Structure formats: structure tokens, C-alpha cells
Amino acid sequence: MREIQAPLQSHLSEPVTTLCTAWKLELSDGRVFGFTEHDENLEVDGVLYSARSSQTQSETESRLGFSADNGSIQGVLESLVISSADIDDGVLRGAKLSHLKINWTAPSQYVVLSVGEVGQVTTQGEYFEVEWLGFSAKLNRSTGRVFSKKCDAKFGDERCGLLASNYGSDVICPKTFTACRDQFHNAENFRGFPYLLGADALLAAPQLGELKDGGSRYR
């Protein structure tokens, strides 16, 4: 739930409001930049929100539950004091991005609408477009290894242990344990879980006449 300061709440109840949109960008190296759609610079909590950006905002989608919020903003690179070379070097990767509404007649009155991180960044000349992702987007990422019956190593890499140059370009690599063992004789480097039980085994009911001694299913 958003906390709205009493002075701003009072302003919102007036017939006419003086609100503008602003964004605060916090880089992993500690640098902080602000930019706003207002026609004059604004200072909030020691951060200068530049009006030079000609920044625009696409519709931001906000969803209930664990679905990822998203949106995008566009502007001029000069306003961020960040060059296209900086972007190519990944300075925006993982940066924190906050979306604010500010009363431009009294900048101390503001509310943070959402906080997320920078996603994909594209540039064209002096213009940029930044994808904004809500923090819930992190829940959609795979972290660590994924358990699968198939090998998750890339054919010929260090984990695979084989030299791809020893095989033709048309080699078929199905990534199964059987192929790794019988076709490539590389079972010791198989990076999957061939005996992982599937849904059929988990849902199977006991059958009359089956041996039930707790032994291996694969003997």
C-alpha cells in the first residue's frame, strides 16, 4: 500500500492539481540520476530531476499477484549524462528505477508509485528507450541448475568434455543419457538426471503381480 503524505493528500483533494511524472535511476556504482516530464528542473530529497530529457512514458502495466509489472520510458541520453558507449558497457544493468508523482509547485510533496529495475535498453542516435520491470519479474528467472532428464551442457564445452571439432557439423546431439553413453562414450560427463521420475511414475498406482521390494526401478 502506498503511503501518501498528508500535504500531498490535501493537494489531491483540490479541484486542480499540479502533478508531474518523474523517474529516479540508481546505478550499481552509486550514481543517481533524476529526470522529469516537467518543463523545469525539480529537486527532491537532494536529487535533481532534469527537465532536459524530453522523457515520455509508455503505459505501465501493474498486475495483482506475482505477474511482472512492466513499462518503458524514452528520452535523450544527454539528460542522463550517460553515453551510448556506457549503455553498451552495461552500466544500466540491474539499475534500480523508481517512478514518482511530484507536486511541481511544492516538490517536497511526492509519492513513489512503483520501484523496479532496468530491463532491456535500446538506443537510436541520441535517444534511448529503457524497459522497466517490476521486482516481481525476478521470480520468473531461473536461478541455478534446472533438473532435467536431458544434459544441460553445451556440446563441446568444458562441462561436456568433448572436442566438437572431432565431430562433423551435422552431428546429432539429442542430449539424452543413452546417446551420451552409446554414441559419444561420454557417460561420465553427462550433466542431466536420467533417472528423474516423470509425472507418469509419480501418478502410477500399484499393479497386481509387480515386485515391491523397494529396489531400483532400473535393474
Side-chain angles (χ1 to χ4, degrees), residues 92-167:
L92 293 180
R93 188 176 298 117
K96 180 180 177 181
L97 194 58
S98 302
H99 178 202
L100 301 86
K101 283 290 185 181
I102 302 173
N103 179 358
W104 52 266
T105 61
S108 61
Q109 299 176 17
Y110 69 92
V111 60
V112 178
L113 298 179
S114 54
V115 180
E117 65 177 21
V118 171
Q120 184 177 0
V121 181
T122 56
T123 60
Q124 184 175 4
E126 64 178 350
Y127 296 95
F128 72 91
E129 180 171 353
V130 175
E131 180 186 27
W132 177 88
L133 298 174
F135 281 145
S136 57
K138 293 182 178 180
L139 299 176
N140 295 328
R141 300 174 185 168
S142 296
T143 302
R145 293 188 64 187
V146 176
F147 288 89
S148 170
K149 286 188 175 183
K150 292 191 174 183
C151 180
D152 63 2
K154 183 178 179 181
F155 183 68
D157 69 4
E158 183 178 356
R159 296 175 65 231
C160 171
L162 297 177
L163 290 176
S165 58
N166 291 341
Y167 301 86

Side-chain angles (χ1 to χ4, degrees), residues 168-205:
S169 58
D170 58 346
V171 64
I172 298 177
C173 184
K175 291 183 174 289
T176 63
F177 178 72
T178 301
C180 189
R181 180 191 61 195
D182 300 340
Q183 182 180 354
F184 299 100
H185 309 289
N186 194 37
E188 66 275 11
N189 287 325
F190 184 73
R191 304 300 180 181
F193 302 87
Y195 303 121
L196 189 68
L197 295 179
D200 291 344
L202 294 175
L203 297 175

